[in-house]
Amino acid sequence: MGGGDAKSFQSIPVVCAHLKAVYPNGHVDWEPQPDSRAFRRMFVCPSAFGRSFPYMRPHVGLDACHSKNQCYPSFIMLATCMDMNNNISIIAYAIVDRENEENWVWFLIHLRDAVIGIESQEIQYVSDRCKGIINVVRNIFTGASHVHCTIHLQRNVKQRFGTEMEKFFKVLHRCKIEERYKQVLEAITEKNPACGQYLSNILPALYVIYAVRRPRFGHTTSNIVEIANSAILPVRSYGPLRMCIELYLYMMEQKVKQHRLSLTLNEERLTPYAAKYMATQEEDAGRMRVRIASLNEALVQSSTGDLVVTLLPECKCTCLVFKYMCLP
């Protein structure tokens, strides 16, 4: 790790072999360039993360970021998720020579083989609109829900159509019923036909609250992976060998911290995050006005004046809070 980057490439196969030997339940692989023995890409998923995924929230962030090494530029591909206390975890990473569809295929196939339960159709994937990710997720995780980061979409709208359309988009992606979505989209089209056409070509199920199939746990963006990208910023300036080892150590240190916290919660029914959220919900509920409309429906008015309809037997509400957060 302390030597030059050029010489460190020779040690990558040895390090990968060592990780496989010490942690046989983990998943480690590397590949050279097809026409030489030069380094091309490597994948690492420690066994602690591959086996613990079934206890995480079914919400996975995917992204790639540039390394900061000027002599040996590369990309770091990350898959992240959250536990029940809203802690963000990197579950696997790859160091590749470039971000393209071929490397995304390679990364996600290894991810599928390494992580227990990640093939489930209950999983929701969130990413930017990189065509490589969109095509690969659709092909490898058949039937899974894949949504786009609304911040990336918002930036695209602002860059192409201006600040006024950006404000309309903020309203559009928060629509909780289809009728409201159609009204806002129609208003956008009247103001700027090109922007309306651009947004019409994106399926509502990819970003609009009412149409997204799976809960997003309060995250309409790819922040769960962008935060991880920021956390590993110092690591991104190293050469591939040190980058690999530092990322591995970072992941294991975070896992230890989360494990120690979970040991203090074994007598509690709720995690601290859920307990705080429930307390806030209970406080807010005390300020609501409820009018029974029938045996099956009630009209609920919040302290801010918003009106929602609650279907009592089905425990469904037009506020979509449960669908969105997957919490009571």
Side-chain angles (χ1 to χ4, degrees):
M1 284 175 64
D5 290 340
K7 198 172 184 179
S8 71
F9 282 95
Q10 302 172 14
S11 302
I12 287 176
V14 179
V15 170
C16 291
H18 181 70
L19 288 175
K20 287 181 180 180
V22 175
Y23 303 107
N25 293 323
H27 194 97
V28 181
D29 192 21
W30 81 282
E31 286 186 6
Q33 296 289 350
D35 55 348
S36 67
R37 296 296 296 171
F39 172 79
R40 183 185 183 190
R41 55 193 180 186
M42 67 186 304
F43 174 92
V44 178
C45 177
S47 58
F49 295 85
R51 292 182 295 170
S52 65
F53 182 76
Y55 306 98
M56 299 290 185
R57 290 176 172 172
H59 186 74
V60 177
L62 301 172
D63 195 21
C65 58
H66 289 271
S67 72
K68 303 295 184 181
N69 190 303
Q70 300 297 325
C71 296
Y72 302 98
S74 58
F75 288 83
I76 304 172
M77 291 180 167
L78 296 179
T80 62
C81 65
M82 295 182 295
D83 66 13
M84 298 306 172
N85 201 37
N86 250 25
N87 294 311
I88 297 172
S89 295
I90 300 173
I91 53 177
Y93 63 90
I95 300 171
V96 297
D97 53 357
R98 59 179 58 88
E99 184 187 6
N100 56 22
E101 188 165 336
E102 182 183 358
N103 279 332
W104 274 115
V105 170
W106 185 82
F107 175 69
L108 292 184
I109 287 175
H110 278 73
L111 185 70
R112 181 188 63 190
D113 296 339
V115 179
I116 297 173
I118 203 165
E119 285 187 271
S120 170
Q121 294 187 3
E122 299 299 316
I123 308 299
Q124 182 179 85
Y125 297 87
V126 59
S127 70
D128 57 21
R129 297 190 70 216
C130 170
K131 292 182 179 179
I133 302 179
I134 294 172
N135 295 333
V136 174
V137 170
R138 185 183 297 123
N139 294 331
I140 294 179
F141 300 109
T142 308
S145 174
H146 185 198
V147 295
H148 298 327
C149 171
T150 55
I151 289 295
H152 283 84
L153 285 172
Q154 182 179 315
R155 289 172 184 164
N156 290 345
V157 170
K158 182 179 180 180
Q159 184 178 4
R160 294 187 183 192
F161 309 107
T163 304
E164 184 180 10
M165 291 300 102
E166 179 192 20
K167 293 177 181 177
F168 272 94
F169 176 78
K170 290 180 181 179
V171 177
L172 184 72
H173 82 80
R174 295 191 180 103
C175 290
K176 296 180 179 178
I177 58 175
E178 186 176 4
E179 291 75 11
R180 175 62 175 162
Y181 164 78
K182 291 179 179 178
Q183 290 172 2
V184 177
L185 185 59
E186 185 178 346
I188 292 173
T189 305
E190 289 180 2
K191 285 273 186 181
N192 190 319
C195 183
Q197 184 61 46
Y198 171 76
L199 294 173
S200 298
N201 292 334
I202 306 173
L203 293 175
L206 297 176
Y207 71 102
V208 185
I209 286 179
Y210 88 88
V212 173
R213 287 193 293 153
R214 305 291 179 205
R216 288 189 281 183
F217 308 100
H219 294 264
T220 63
T221 69
S222 57
N223 279 352
I224 64 171
V225 67
E226 298 291 349
I227 291 171
N229 282 336
S230 298
I232 64 170
L233 187 59
V235 177
R236 289 160 57 184
S237 61
Y238 301 141
L241 176 65
R242 188 172 181 185
M243 194 187 298
C244 169
I245 296 173
E246 293 284 1
L247 281 169
Y248 187 90
L249 293 175
Y250 172 81
M251 291 173 66
M252 298 308 295
E253 287 169 0
Q254 295 300 310
K255 176 61 71 175
V256 168
K257 291 178 183 177
Q258 294 171 17
H259 182 62
R260 285 175 177 167
L261 175 62
S262 68
L263 292 177
T264 66
L265 303 175
N266 57 0
E267 299 298 328
E268 302 293 333
R269 295 182 61 201
L270 299 173
T271 66
Y273 168 77
K276 183 178 179 180
Y277 179 86
M278 289 290 290
T280 303
Q281 291 290 91
E282 184 176 2
E283 185 178 342
D284 290 345
R287 293 191 288 266
M288 292 179 181
R289 298 176 64 188
V290 181
R291 298 178 183 177
I292 300 298
S294 67
L295 292 175
N296 297 324
E297 291 185 349
L299 186 66
V300 182
Q301 184 175 20
S302 69
S303 58
T304 59
D306 295 330
L307 292 171
V308 297
V309 177
T310 301
L311 302 177
L312 301 177
E314 292 88 356
C315 293
K316 293 181 179 178
C317 185
T318 55
C319 72
L320 300 186
V321 170
F322 181 77
K323 176 187 174 183
Y324 183 64
M325 298 292 293
C326 209
L327 286 169

